[in-house]
Amino acid sequence: MPLQFNPVKLFAGTGTKELAIQIAESYGKPLGDVTLNRFSDGEFQPSYDETVRGCDVFIINSTYQPNDNLMELLLMIDAAKRASAHYITAVVPYYGLARQDRKDKPRVAIGAKLVANLLKSAGIHRIMTMDLHAAQIQGFFDIPVDHLDGSVIFVPYIKSLGLENLTIASPDMGGSYRARTFAKFFNAEVVICDKRRKRANEIESMSIIGDVVGLDVVLIDDICDTAGTLSKAAALIMEKGAKSVRAVCTHPVLSGKAYETVENSMLAELIVTDTIPLKRQSDKIRVLSTAELFAKAIANVNEHGSISDLFRV
């Protein structure tokens, strides 16, 4: 018996509208119509302006600054479920609160697990995301998780730079596995920046494990928030004799004075994706599109194809 494919409808939350438009263009189908009704006290109510009955619905919204974006995503999921959608997939390019993935001190929440519970309770059948802060967050879900790998986008760009003495670096000990995985694509060595924090977003000291003299160093991270770690790592790497240093970060949170920090840093460039829209442009920040990758993943989910085929660089 041949496989049955349900009609696909793509919808966007307000937080990731531009990326959703590009995903829809790559997929070959226009975004569906949604209205976001706002009340004077800040409450809002999304409503679908077309039927979703019996459809495979993909709701695209990153949950950075999660107060509004996460709540909007939850309400859109609930509305689709109550409108008799056949299958609901949350496409969350940036999964907010992912840094709260464990109880690392007494009396704190595990925010990443809470978000997983909320999304499942709202009614999703599947979630699609990219470069989770910790891969084990997939285990917080009892539904399929499509965890896309940003290296598929970054590796071709790094190769196009033609760096002769490429070395991969991790800005902290926690990112060493990510850096080693990335280094395999280039058969490159890995150096590690060992940092000690006073508190969140404030570094006390940093040292380098490995040799960088005369090398073109690429720092690998998943999130760039204040850019303090990357800036300090870049300065230390150049001080130790590196030829150049640049950074790859999937999710450009870029809060506070991050843009000024990047522009005043020793980084040749900061390479990011569009999982979070930039607040402003910078000559040092290069944005690579994730739209085609997400569009292919959506097509493969709908057509019961392989997601792992998308991980080949």
Side-chain angles (χ1 to χ4, degrees), residues 97-114 140 200:
L97 275 70
R99 285 174 284 186
Q100 299 180 44
D101 63 320
R102 64 197 183 281
K103 191 173 179 182
D104 57 353
K105 58 184 177 181
R107 298 175 295 282
V108 296
I110 304 179
K113 172 60 174 171
L114 176 60
F140 293 167

PDB file of all heavy atoms in Angstrom, residues 97-114 140 200:
ATOM      1  N   LEU A  97      16.147  28.604  26.706  1.00  0.00           N
ATOM      2  CA  LEU A  97      16.315  28.013  28.033  1.00  0.00           C
ATOM      3  C   LEU A  97      17.126  26.724  28.000  1.00  0.00           C
ATOM      4  O   LEU A  97      17.172  25.983  28.984  1.00  0.00           O
ATOM      5  CB  LEU A  97      14.962  27.757  28.722  1.00  0.00           C
ATOM      6  CG  LEU A  97      14.369  28.958  29.480  1.00  0.00           C
ATOM      7  CD1 LEU A  97      13.906  30.043  28.507  1.00  0.00           C
ATOM      8  CD2 LEU A  97      13.202  28.530  30.356  1.00  0.00           C
ATOM      9  N   ALA A  98      17.796  26.442  26.880  1.00  0.00           N
ATOM     10  CA  ALA A  98      18.578  25.207  26.757  1.00  0.00           C
ATOM     11  C   ALA A  98      19.796  25.203  27.669  1.00  0.00           C
ATOM     12  O   ALA A  98      20.322  24.129  27.987  1.00  0.00           O
ATOM     13  CB  ALA A  98      19.017  25.007  25.304  1.00  0.00           C
ATOM     14  N   ARG A  99      20.242  26.367  28.106  1.00  0.00           N
ATOM     15  CA  ARG A  99      21.387  26.403  29.024  1.00  0.00           C
ATOM     16  C   ARG A  99      21.002  25.933  30.428  1.00  0.00           C
ATOM     17  O   ARG A  99      21.871  25.623  31.231  1.00  0.00           O
ATOM     18  CB  ARG A  99      21.969  27.824  29.067  1.00  0.00           C
ATOM     19  CG  ARG A  99      22.772  28.180  27.827  1.00  0.00           C
ATOM     20  CD  ARG A  99      23.222  29.622  27.818  1.00  0.00           C
ATOM     21  NE  ARG A  99      22.128  30.526  27.489  1.00  0.00           N
ATOM     22  CZ  ARG A  99      22.274  31.842  27.296  1.00  0.00           C
ATOM     23  NH1 ARG A  99      23.477  32.383  27.407  1.00  0.00           N
ATOM     24  NH2 ARG A  99      21.236  32.594  26.993  1.00  0.00           N
ATOM     25  N   GLN A 100      19.708  25.862  30.698  1.00  0.00           N
ATOM     26  CA  GLN A 100      19.221  25.323  31.970  1.00  0.00           C
ATOM     27  C   GLN A 100      18.871  23.845  31.763  1.00  0.00           C
ATOM     28  O   GLN A 100      17.714  23.439  31.840  1.00  0.00           O
ATOM     29  CB  GLN A 100      17.997  26.107  32.440  1.00  0.00           C
ATOM     30  CG  GLN A 100      18.282  27.583  32.689  1.00  0.00           C
ATOM     31  CD  GLN A 100      17.051  28.325  33.162  1.00  0.00           C
ATOM     32  OE1 GLN A 100      16.303  27.847  34.017  1.00  0.00           O
ATOM     33  NE2 GLN A 100      16.820  29.509  32.605  1.00  0.00           N
ATOM     34  N   ASP A 101      19.901  23.046  31.489  1.00  0.00           N
ATOM     35  CA  ASP A 101      19.676  21.643  31.114  1.00  0.00           C
ATOM     36  C   ASP A 101      19.946  20.672  32.252  1.00  0.00           C
ATOM     37  O   ASP A 101      19.820  19.458  32.077  1.00  0.00           O
ATOM     38  CB  ASP A 101      20.553  21.285  29.909  1.00  0.00           C
ATOM     39  CG  ASP A 101      22.045  21.393  30.230  1.00  0.00           C
ATOM     40  OD1 ASP A 101      22.434  22.350  30.927  1.00  0.00           O
ATOM     41  OD2 ASP A 101      22.811  20.520  29.789  1.00  0.00           O
ATOM     42  N   ARG A 102      20.318  21.169  33.420  1.00  0.00           N
ATOM     43  CA  ARG A 102      20.633  20.287  34.546  1.00  0.00           C
ATOM     44  C   ARG A 102      20.553  21.105  35.842  1.00  0.00           C
ATOM     45  O   ARG A 102      20.547  22.339  35.809  1.00  0.00           O
ATOM     46  CB  ARG A 102      22.037  19.705  34.406  1.00  0.00           C
ATOM     47  CG  ARG A 102      23.150  20.755  34.467  1.00  0.00           C
ATOM     48  CD  ARG A 102      24.455  20.226  33.933  1.00  0.00           C
ATOM     49  NE  ARG A 102      25.517  21.179  34.062  1.00  0.00           N
ATOM     50  CZ  ARG A 102      25.717  22.230  33.249  1.00  0.00           C
ATOM     51  NH1 ARG A 102      24.879  22.458  32.252  1.00  0.00           N
ATOM     52  NH2 ARG A 102      26.741  23.042  33.420  1.00  0.00           N
ATOM     53  N   LYS A 103      20.515  20.398  36.939  1.00  0.00           N
ATOM     54  CA  LYS A 103      20.515  21.057  38.245  1.00  0.00           C
ATOM     55  C   LYS A 103      21.955  21.125  38.722  1.00  0.00           C
ATOM     56  O   LYS A 103      22.469  20.195  39.349  1.00  0.00           O
ATOM     57  CB  LYS A 103      19.638  20.277  39.231  1.00  0.00           C
ATOM     58  CG  LYS A 103      19.368  21.010  40.524  1.00  0.00           C
ATOM     59  CD  LYS A 103      18.368  20.271  41.396  1.00  0.00           C
ATOM     60  CE  LYS A 103      18.138  21.037  42.695  1.00  0.00           C
ATOM     61  NZ  LYS A 103      17.198  20.327  43.589  1.00  0.00           N
ATOM     62  N   ASP A 104      22.627  22.239  38.418  1.00  0.00           N
ATOM     63  CA  ASP A 104      24.050  22.364  38.720  1.00  0.00           C
ATOM     64  C   ASP A 104      24.329  23.023  40.067  1.00  0.00           C
ATOM     65  O   ASP A 104      25.486  23.172  40.461  1.00  0.00           O
ATOM     66  CB  ASP A 104      24.763  23.132  37.597  1.00  0.00           C
ATOM     67  CG  ASP A 104      24.155  24.505  37.354  1.00  0.00           C
ATOM     68  OD1 ASP A 104      23.108  24.808  37.969  1.00  0.00           O
ATOM     69  OD2 ASP A 104      24.720  25.269  36.553  1.00  0.00           O
ATOM     70  N   LYS A 105      23.277  23.422  40.757  1.00  0.00           N
ATOM     71  CA  LYS A 105      23.402  23.927  42.127  1.00  0.00           C
ATOM     72  C   LYS A 105      22.034  23.781  42.792  1.00  0.00           C
ATOM     73  O   LYS A 105      21.025  23.566  42.103  1.00  0.00           O
ATOM     74  CB  LYS A 105      23.878  25.386  42.141  1.00  0.00           C
ATOM     75  CG  LYS A 105      22.991  26.354  41.378  1.00  0.00           C
ATOM     76  CD  LYS A 105      23.611  27.740  41.371  1.00  0.00           C
ATOM     77  CE  LYS A 105      22.765  28.719  40.550  1.00  0.00           C
ATOM     78  NZ  LYS A 105      23.369  30.070  40.508  1.00  0.00           N
ATOM     79  N   PRO A 106      21.973  23.876  44.112  1.00  0.00           N
ATOM     80  CA  PRO A 106      20.691  23.637  44.797  1.00  0.00           C
ATOM     81  C   PRO A 106      19.623  24.666  44.429  1.00  0.00           C
ATOM     82  O   PRO A 106      19.917  25.822  44.133  1.00  0.00           O
ATOM     83  CB  PRO A 106      21.057  23.741  46.289  1.00  0.00           C
ATOM     84  CG  PRO A 106      22.527  23.526  46.344  1.00  0.00           C
ATOM     85  CD  PRO A 106      23.078  24.079  45.064  1.00  0.00           C
ATOM     86  N   ARG A 107      18.368  24.213  44.423  1.00  0.00           N
ATOM     87  CA  ARG A 107      17.191  25.083  44.329  1.00  0.00           C
ATOM     88  C   ARG A 107      17.119  25.884  43.034  1.00  0.00           C
ATOM     89  O   ARG A 107      16.815  27.072  43.051  1.00  0.00           O
ATOM     90  CB  ARG A 107      17.126  26.011  45.563  1.00  0.00           C
ATOM     91  CG  ARG A 107      16.985  25.241  46.885  1.00  0.00           C
ATOM     92  CD  ARG A 107      17.045  26.148  48.097  1.00  0.00           C
ATOM     93  NE  ARG A 107      18.362  26.799  48.256  1.00  0.00           N
ATOM     94  CZ  ARG A 107      19.431  26.196  48.758  1.00  0.00           C
ATOM     95  NH1 ARG A 107      19.372  24.941  49.148  1.00  0.00           N
ATOM     96  NH2 ARG A 107      20.567  26.845  48.861  1.00  0.00           N
ATOM     97  N   VAL A 108      17.448  25.234  41.915  1.00  0.00           N
ATOM     98  CA  VAL A 108      17.281  25.870  40.602  1.00  0.00           C
ATOM     99  C   VAL A 108      16.370  25.010  39.733  1.00  0.00           C
ATOM    100  O   VAL A 108      16.215  23.802  39.965  1.00  0.00           O
ATOM    101  CB  VAL A 108      18.634  26.089  39.878  1.00  0.00           C
ATOM    102  CG1 VAL A 108      19.509  27.050  40.646  1.00  0.00           C
ATOM    103  CG2 VAL A 108      19.351  24.762  39.638  1.00  0.00           C
ATOM    104  N   ALA A 109      15.778  25.644  38.741  1.00  0.00           N
ATOM    105  CA  ALA A 109      14.900  24.938  37.805  1.00  0.00           C
ATOM    106  C   ALA A 109      15.716  24.293  36.688  1.00  0.00           C
ATOM    107  O   ALA A 109      16.841  24.710  36.405  1.00  0.00           O
ATOM    108  CB  ALA A 109      13.896  25.914  37.201  1.00  0.00           C
ATOM    109  N   ILE A 110      15.156  23.274  36.063  1.00  0.00           N
ATOM    110  CA  ILE A 110      15.718  22.717  34.830  1.00  0.00           C
ATOM    111  C   ILE A 110      14.821  23.206  33.702  1.00  0.00           C
ATOM    112  O   ILE A 110      13.859  22.546  33.287  1.00  0.00           O
ATOM    113  CB  ILE A 110      15.795  21.177  34.883  1.00  0.00           C
ATOM    114  CG1 ILE A 110      16.601  20.730  36.103  1.00  0.00           C
ATOM    115  CG2 ILE A 110      16.439  20.635  33.609  1.00  0.00           C
ATOM    116  CD1 ILE A 110      16.717  19.230  36.269  1.00  0.00           C
ATOM    117  N   GLY A 111      15.124  24.411  33.239  1.00  0.00           N
ATOM    118  CA  GLY A 111      14.251  25.102  32.288  1.00  0.00           C
ATOM    119  C   GLY A 111      14.050  24.363  30.980  1.00  0.00           C
ATOM    120  O   GLY A 111      12.955  24.397  30.398  1.00  0.00           O
ATOM    121  N   ALA A 112      15.102  23.706  30.489  1.00  0.00           N
ATOM    122  CA  ALA A 112      14.997  23.003  29.210  1.00  0.00           C
ATOM    123  C   ALA A 112      13.981  21.870  29.283  1.00  0.00           C
ATOM    124  O   ALA A 112      13.257  21.604  28.320  1.00  0.00           O
ATOM    125  CB  ALA A 112      16.361  22.457  28.797  1.00  0.00           C
ATOM    126  N   LYS A 113      13.921  21.185  30.418  1.00  0.00           N
ATOM    127  CA  LYS A 113      12.949  20.118  30.619  1.00  0.00           C
ATOM    128  C   LYS A 113      11.539  20.686  30.743  1.00  0.00           C
ATOM    129  O   LYS A 113      10.573  20.122  30.214  1.00  0.00           O
ATOM    130  CB  LYS A 113      13.323  19.310  31.860  1.00  0.00           C
ATOM    131  CG  LYS A 113      12.291  18.287  32.305  1.00  0.00           C
ATOM    132  CD  LYS A 113      11.998  17.246  31.229  1.00  0.00           C
ATOM    133  CE  LYS A 113      11.063  16.160  31.783  1.00  0.00           C
ATOM    134  NZ  LYS A 113      10.590  15.252  30.715  1.00  0.00           N
ATOM    135  N   LEU A 114      11.406  21.803  31.442  1.00  0.00           N
ATOM    136  CA  LEU A 114      10.100  22.442  31.591  1.00  0.00           C
ATOM    137  C   LEU A 114       9.529  22.835  30.233  1.00  0.00           C
ATOM    138  O   LEU A 114       8.346  22.617  29.950  1.00  0.00           O
ATOM    139  CB  LEU A 114      10.217  23.671  32.495  1.00  0.00           C
ATOM    140  CG  LEU A 114       8.935  24.504  32.669  1.00  0.00           C
ATOM    141  CD1 LEU A 114       7.819  23.665  33.279  1.00  0.00           C
ATOM    142  CD2 LEU A 114       9.217  25.736  33.522  1.00  0.00           C
ATOM    143  N   PHE A 140      14.693  14.747  26.958  1.00  0.00           N
ATOM    144  CA  PHE A 140      13.605  15.347  27.725  1.00  0.00           C
ATOM    145  C   PHE A 140      12.256  15.143  27.041  1.00  0.00           C
ATOM    146  O   PHE A 140      11.213  15.410  27.632  1.00  0.00           O
ATOM    147  CB  PHE A 140      13.847  16.851  27.930  1.00  0.00           C
ATOM    148  CG  PHE A 140      15.030  17.178  28.813  1.00  0.00           C
ATOM    149  CD1 PHE A 140      15.522  18.475  28.855  1.00  0.00           C
ATOM    150  CD2 PHE A 140      15.641  16.212  29.584  1.00  0.00           C
ATOM    151  CE1 PHE A 140      16.611  18.796  29.672  1.00  0.00           C
ATOM    152  CE2 PHE A 140      16.726  16.514  30.395  1.00  0.00           C
ATOM    153  CZ  PHE A 140      17.201  17.809  30.444  1.00  0.00           C
ATOM    154  N   ALA A 200      27.486  34.101  36.147  1.00  0.00           N
ATOM    155  CA  ALA A 200      27.003  34.030  34.770  1.00  0.00           C
ATOM    156  C   ALA A 200      27.408  35.279  33.995  1.00  0.00           C
ATOM    157  O   ALA A 200      27.267  36.408  34.480  1.00  0.00           O
ATOM    158  CB  ALA A 200      25.477  33.882  34.749  1.00  0.00           C
TER     159      ALA A 200
END
